[in-house]
Amino acid sequence: MRVRKDDRFPTERQSSPSGAEISYSVASDCRLCGEGGCQSNPAPTWLGVPFAVGQSETVVDLSPSRGAQLCWKATVRSPNFSCQPEIFNVDVGYEVSLVP
C-alpha cells in the first residue's frame, strides 16, 4: 500500500517544536467478515507507517495482513496546545507490486 502525506510543523512560535510529532498507522482488518456477513472491527490491528526523515511518501507491505477493509489513522502530539502540527492531506491507496 502507498501512503502520501502533507503535514507541517508550525515554525512561527519556535524553530523545532520539542516533543511535537505526527504518527500514521494503517490496518487492513477494519471489517471482519464471516458466514453471516461483515461487521466493523472494534479493535483493528494497527501497523505503524514508517516515513524516512524528510520523506512524504512510503510503501507498506500488507501482504501478511488479513482483512476486508483498509483504514488509517493519524495521531498528533504536541506539548504546546497553541502550536500544533497540522495535517493537510493524506492519500492512502493499494499498490500492486512484487515483494522482495
Side-chain angles (χ1 to χ4, degrees), residues 9-28:
F9 292 86
T11 57
E12 301 86 42
R13 299 179 198 261
Q14 55 191 52
S15 58
S16 76
S18 177
E21 69 177 70
I22 302 173
S23 60
Y24 295 88
S25 301
V26 295
S28 64

Side-chain angles (χ1 to χ4, degrees), residues 21-84:
E21 69 177 70
I22 302 173
S23 60
Y24 295 88
S25 301
V26 295
S28 64
D29 59 349
C30 292
R31 285 183 69 79
L32 300 173
C33 296
E35 293 176 17
C38 296
Q39 63 184 5
S40 293
N41 182 358
T45 307
W46 293 108
L47 303 169
V49 177
F51 287 97
V53 175
Q55 297 297 311
S56 61
E57 186 173 327
T58 191
V59 174
V60 178
D61 179 12
L62 293 179
S63 59
S65 303
R66 300 279 181 220
Q69 183 179 22
L70 178 67
C71 59
W72 66 274
K73 70 177 180 177
T75 304
V76 177
R77 293 184 185 93
S78 179
N80 184 346
F81 182 75
S82 64
C83 192
Q84 296 282 322

Side-chain angles (χ1 to χ4, degrees), residues 79-100:
N80 184 346
F81 182 75
S82 64
C83 192
Q84 296 282 322
E86 295 180 86
I87 300 171
F88 296 98
N89 188 43
V90 178
D91 182 21
V92 179
Y94 286 108
E95 177 177 295
V96 177
S97 60
L98 297 174
V99 178

